[in-house]
Amino acid sequence: MFKITIKNLGQTVEGVEGESIRDTLTRHDIEINTPCNGLGKCGQCGVWVDEPGNFPETPHENISRKKSEQGLRLACQLFPETDLSILIPEHILGGDKAGDRILVGDALKFSGINSAVQVYETADNWWLQYDGESAPQRLKQWATSFIPKGVAIDLGTTTVVVTLLSLKTGEELATVSRLNPQIRYGHDIMTRIHHGSTEEGLEELKEAVRKGLDQLIEQACKDTKSNSLEILDIAIGGNTTMLQLVAGISPYPLGRVPFTVDLEGGRSYPVADFGFQVNPAARVYIPPVLHAFIGTDISAGLIMNKSFFDNAKAVHYIDVGTNGEQALNIKGRRLFCSTAAGPAFEGMGISCGMRAAIGAIEVVKTDGYDLEMITIGDTPIKGVCGSGLLDLIAALLRLGIIDYSGRLQPSEKLTGIAPSVASRLETIDDQPAFRLNQDIYLTQKDIRQLQLAKGAVRAAIELILEEAESSPSDLDEFIIAGGFGASLDPESLEIIGLIPPGLKNKIKFAGNASRSGCARLLTGVEERRFLESGLVNVEHLSIEQDPDFMDKFATSMEFPEH
C-alpha cells in the first residue's frame, strides 16, 4: 500500500501495487479524461509528478523530452510502488471535479472570459496554470484578495501604450501612454537598429524602453488601486525591432540581408526575459512575427479585423504609423509589406506636431471659404496631432493655400477665401508658413515631411495591389489602423492622395488595433490559436527593393490635382 497525494485537490488516496494512477483515481471517484480508456494511445491523461527522477517515464508523442524531465507522466501508464505527489491539470479533470477547484478560474469561465491564466489554491499554496503549455508553478507572491490581471502593450517606435485589464471580467481598467523613451537615440527604425547593434547601445535601448513601460504599468496600477503582483499575463504588439530591443536581443540581423528575426512569435516567454516589474510567475505572449519588418502590431491588429481572414473577400489593412506596414488578403492569398513612412503620421518630426492630447488640433473643417480648427478638449491650440495634420493639409488644399506640388501659395495669389484665413500666411525663418495660433506654425518643411510619409505609403499600396494582380475597385474593405479615430474624414485621405480614388466609402477605421488586439489575446486564448493558424502561409513583398518603387514614390509625393 502507498499513498498518492493530489496537490490541487487537497486529497490523499491509497494505491495498491500493480494499479495505475488512473485506476487508483477512478477507484476513489476522481475522474480524469482518458479517451482511449487507459490503453496509453491518446496521450490525454498526463499528470505532473513530484521528484520525477524516482518514477519511470511514460513515452508518448504528446510528451516532449522537456516535459518528461519536468515530471509529465501518463496516468494510465504509471504504476507506482511508493508514495508520490501529483498535480492533475484542470483540463483533464472530469465530472464535477474541475469547476469547484479553480477559485479564480470559475469567474473567468462564467463571465465568458477564456484567459490563458488559471489560478487555484491548494491546502497551503497558490498555483498558476498558463495556457496548458508548461507544468503548473507555485505562485509564491499571491494573496486571497488578488484578482488576476493582464497588460496589453502597443510598443510603437514613437509612442507606447499600456492597458491594464481584469482577467476575471475582461474589463479594461486603465490605459496610459507616453512617447517611447528610445526616441532620444533616434526617431526611426534604422537608427535604432544601428545604435542597438553594439553591446552598449543595446543595453541603453533595452533599459530605456523597459523603464518607460514599467512606469506606465505602475501608473495604471496606481490609478486603479491594483497591485503589480496581480499581473500574470502580458501581450505585446510592436514592430520586430522594438520587440527584440525590449527582449534584450540584438537588432543587428534585422538591418542586413537576409533580415533574420531572433525572436519567435506565436508563443509565450517567462516575464524575466523582458524584465517587467510584475509577478515573477507572469508570462509574456508574443503574437506571430511575420517578417523582420512585419511585427506583432500587425498580427495583433488583424485579430480585431477578422474579415481579413475571410477567403471570400478582398481586404486591405494598413497601419498608418512610423513603419507603414500593410496586409492584403485577396480571396485567400495573403501578402504583407512595409515601408519607412517616418513619424509624421504620429505628429512627430513636425514643427507644430504633438501627440493626440489636450490642445492638439484633431479636426479641421472648411466650406471652401473659411477654416475651422477643432482641438482635443476644445482648448487653445497647442499643436497638431497626426489625424489633425492630415485634415489640415486636406483643408488647405481645398482652399488653394497649398498647390498640388505641396507649395504654400503667397497670400496675394489667393482669391475667394476669408481674409482672416489668408492673413495666416507668413514667412518664418525664410520659409513660407501657415500660422495656427500665436507662435505655432505649419511650415513648408512640415508639409514636405507629410508628403514623404504619404508618398511612401501610397507607393506601397499600389505595389502590393499590383503584386496581387488586383486593383482598388476589387477591394471589399480598406481598413486603416493607427492613432486615428472616426473623427478623421475619409475624404481628406483621398484629397491628399494617401489612398487611391474611389476607396473613401470602403474605409473602416480600426484605431489602435495593436493595443486592442493584444487585449483580446489576453482575454480569449482561443484567439491566439486562430491567429497562429491563420498566418501560416503568407507572402512578404520587399517594397523598397522593387525597381518601380522610387518612381511610384516620387509620383505619390505630389497631391492630386482637383
Side-chain angles (χ1 to χ4, degrees):
M1 300 285 287
F2 55 89
K3 294 180 178 179
I4 301 177
T5 300
I6 305 110
K7 297 189 298 185
N8 53 316
L9 299 186
Q11 292 181 242
T12 299
V13 298
E14 288 188 348
V16 296
E17 188 176 348
E19 186 176 62
S20 71
I21 289 179
R22 169 189 178 268
D23 292 340
T24 299
L25 295 174
T26 300
R27 185 164 51 83
H28 288 87
D29 296 322
I30 301 173
E31 298 179 10
I32 61 174
N33 296 324
T34 52
C36 69
N37 199 30
L39 297 178
K41 294 182 178 180
C42 69
Q44 299 298 306
C45 64
V47 298
W48 298 93
V49 303
D50 287 353
E51 301 179 6
N54 296 335
F55 302 95
E57 296 183 356
T58 57
H60 192 277
E61 62 181 8
N62 288 358
I63 301 179
S64 66
R65 166 55 50 189
K66 181 177 180 181
K67 287 186 176 181
S68 184
E69 292 173 351
Q70 291 174 333
L72 186 61
R73 302 288 187 270
L74 293 181
C76 71
Q77 298 299 303
L78 183 60
F79 300 84
E81 298 177 354
T82 60
D83 293 350
L84 77 162
S85 294
I86 67 172
L87 190 148
I88 306 174
E90 298 294 339
H91 69 276
I92 74 166
L93 276 168
D96 296 327
K97 298 296 180 182
D100 61 359
R101 292 304 188 278
I102 307 174
L103 302 185
V104 175
D106 278 348
L108 303 183
K109 293 177 181 176
F110 284 124
S111 64
I113 301 303
N114 185 20
S115 165
V117 168
Q118 291 188 28
V119 175
Y120 51 90
E121 187 182 20
T122 60
D124 54 359
N125 287 309
W126 286 92
W127 298 84
L128 169 66
Q129 176 77 41
Y130 184 85
D131 199 10
E133 64 179 35
S134 62
Q137 59 180 308
R138 262 185 64 195
L139 269 176
K140 297 179 181 179
Q141 300 186 49
W142 197 255
T144 303
S145 61
F146 284 179
I147 295 175
K149 292 182 171 66
V151 170
I153 296 175
D154 174 42
L155 182 54
T157 310
T158 304
T159 306
V160 292
V161 184
V162 164
T163 294
L164 181 69
L165 305 97
S166 167
L167 297 183
K168 180 178 179 180
T169 66
E171 178 186 3
E172 294 188 5
L173 304 174
T175 296
V176 288
S177 66
R178 61 169 294 168
L179 289 177
N180 188 326
Q182 293 176 338
I183 278 181
R184 70 178 75 112
Y185 301 106
H187 278 270
D188 61 278
I189 286 293
M190 294 310 299
T191 301
R192 307 265 179 96
I193 289 176
H194 178 74
H195 190 82
S197 294
T198 66
E199 186 175 337
E200 180 181 359
L202 175 60
E203 185 67 17
E204 288 175 337
L205 290 169
K206 180 190 76 175
E207 290 305 313
V209 72
R210 286 185 177 183
K211 182 178 180 181
L213 288 170
D214 277 333
Q215 289 172 345
L216 290 179
I217 292 171
E218 181 182 4
Q219 183 63 53
C221 288
K222 181 180 178 181
D223 291 346
T224 59
K225 295 182 172 57
S226 300
N227 191 317
S228 61
L229 293 176
E230 295 176 276
I231 297 171
L232 295 175
D233 203 6
I234 295 172
I236 306 179
N239 66 66
T240 315
T241 300
M242 293 300 102
L243 294 173
Q244 293 206 175
L245 289 174
V246 74
I249 299 172
S250 174
Y252 181 84
L254 300 174
R256 291 159 180 79
V257 176
F259 307 116
T260 56
V261 181
D262 291 328
L263 182 69
E264 183 182 353
R267 56 162 293 191
S268 62
Y269 296 81
V271 74
D273 291 358
F274 292 82
F276 298 135
Q277 301 302 302
V278 297
N279 196 301
R283 304 281 289 178
V284 177
Y285 179 72
I286 302 296
V289 176
L290 304 177
H291 186 268
F293 301 129
I294 308 293
T296 61
D297 47 354
I298 297 303
S299 55
L302 289 175
I303 201 67
M304 299 299 295
N305 299 276
K306 286 189 175 179
S307 60
F308 179 81
F309 298 95
D310 186 341
N311 291 343
K313 289 186 175 181
V315 178
H316 200 143
Y317 177 98
I318 70 172
D319 188 322
V320 183
T322 307
N323 306 302
E325 298 101 333
Q326 301 189 26
L328 177 65
N329 171 48
I330 298 293
K331 299 184 178 179
R333 185 185 179 192
R334 299 187 178 109
L335 300 93
F336 292 79
C337 72
S338 64
T339 184
F345 291 127
E346 298 183 60
M348 299 295 105
I350 305 295
S351 63
C352 56
M354 62 180 290
R355 292 166 56 214
I358 300 297
I361 296 174
E362 181 184 32
V363 176
V364 180
K365 298 179 180 181
T366 181
D367 56 5
Y369 176 75
D370 209 345
L371 189 70
E372 180 184 9
M373 294 177 284
I374 302 170
T375 63
I376 297 174
D378 197 26
T379 63
I381 296 171
K382 294 181 180 179
V384 59
C385 64
S387 58
L389 178 63
L390 299 185
D391 239 9
L392 176 61
I393 298 294
L396 296 182
L397 282 165
R398 287 185 60 193
L399 290 165
I401 292 174
I402 298 176
D403 69 10
Y404 75 94
S405 71
R407 292 186 180 89
L408 282 165
Q409 298 300 293
S411 57
E412 59 268 21
K413 287 190 176 182
L414 300 176
T415 59
I417 67 171
S420 59
V421 176
S423 66
R424 291 176 178 267
L425 282 159
E426 300 179 16
T427 299
I428 303 294
D429 296 328
D430 297 323
Q431 67 170 316
F434 185 81
R435 178 169 45 82
L436 303 177
N437 186 25
Q438 298 174 345
D439 297 325
I440 301 172
Y441 295 85
L442 176 76
T443 68
Q444 186 66 70
K445 184 179 179 181
D446 295 333
I447 298 169
R448 191 64 65 196
Q449 289 299 310
L450 185 279
Q451 287 181 281
L452 290 169
K454 77 100 178 175
V457 171
R458 174 63 181 273
I461 290 173
E462 295 190 7
L463 286 171
I464 197 171
L465 283 170
E466 286 181 7
E467 175 65 23
E469 298 180 345
S470 190
S471 67
S473 61
D474 297 326
L475 297 176
D476 296 304
E477 289 183 43
F478 193 85
I479 302 170
I480 300 178
F484 303 130
S487 59
L488 184 60
D489 185 357
E491 188 172 359
S492 293
L493 301 180
E494 199 165 289
I495 289 173
I496 69 172
L498 180 66
I499 62 172
L503 282 182
K504 63 182 179 181
N505 294 325
K506 297 180 180 181
I507 288 178
K508 171 187 172 185
F509 290 108
N512 189 339
S514 172
R515 181 206 66 85
S516 52
C518 283
R520 179 169 290 184
L521 293 169
L522 288 172
T523 56
V525 71
E526 72 284 351
E527 302 283 29
R528 302 183 183 188
R529 306 294 92 84
F530 176 88
L531 197 60
E532 291 157 8
S533 62
L535 294 175
V536 174
N537 297 313
V538 300
E539 303 173 50
H540 178 261
L541 181 63
S542 297
I543 289 293
E544 290 169 358
Q545 294 179 13
D546 190 299
D548 293 330
F549 174 75
M550 287 309 298
D551 286 342
K552 290 187 180 296
F553 172 58
T555 302
S556 298
M557 277 185 60
E558 293 191 341
F559 297 114
E561 293 190 62
H562 296 282

